[in-house]
Amino acid sequence: MKKYNVIVNGTAYEIEIEVADANSVSAAPKAAPAPKAAPAAPAKTGTGAGQAIECPMPGTILSVNVQTGSTVKKGQLLMVLEAMKMENEILAPCDGRVTGVNVSKGSTVESGITLCTIQ
């Protein structure tokens, strides 16, 4: 055991540290389990023509509030994207009709992919 004096935020502490030699060190730690494989990309329900609504960041689709053929107004909720433990609302940038929805609830998405199209 070695003793040390340490000052933390103006308060003095006396600590003892045990020095381990190479023979007393326990076995190497176990490797972490392999991560689960990502689910396969969802099938597209229509490629659609018009303005593409792109995914702003990687995440998971929590809900899809429109379907192909739906009429939407500017600012209407299209879907909810969970990214970095936050729910992000994907809103319609313009009035129009949804010509294609390329994701479904539970889909894992990457930044820049087309989520849906509005014409």
Side-chain angles (χ1 to χ4, degrees):
M1 293 281 220
K2 289 191 175 186
K3 290 186 179 184
Y4 293 93
N5 291 321
V6 179
I7 299 175
V8 179
N9 294 331
T11 305
Y13 297 94
E14 183 178 307
I15 60 171
E16 292 182 13
I17 299 177
E18 183 177 351
V19 179
D21 61 2
N23 295 333
S24 66
V25 176
S26 62
K30 295 179 182 178
K36 295 179 181 178
K44 293 184 178 184
T45 59
T47 57
Q51 182 174 354
I53 311 304
E54 295 183 350
C55 186
M57 63 191 83
T60 303
I61 301 296
L62 293 181
S63 67
V64 178
N65 299 53
V66 294
Q67 55 189 338
T68 301
S70 299
T71 302
V72 295
K73 298 283 186 187
K74 181 177 181 176
Q76 181 177 337
L77 179 65
L78 300 174
M79 55 193 69
V80 178
L81 169 71
E82 179 188 31
M84 298 184 290
K85 306 236 184 237
M86 293 187 64
E87 293 182 8
N88 301 281
E89 295 180 337
I90 308 298
L91 305 175
C94 59
D95 293 349
R97 186 175 57 84
V98 177
T99 58
V101 178
N102 300 335
V103 295
S104 59
K105 181 179 178 180
S107 300
T108 301
V109 293
E110 294 297 323
S111 181
I113 70 158
T114 301
L115 300 172
C116 67
T117 50
I118 298 175
Q119 185 172 7

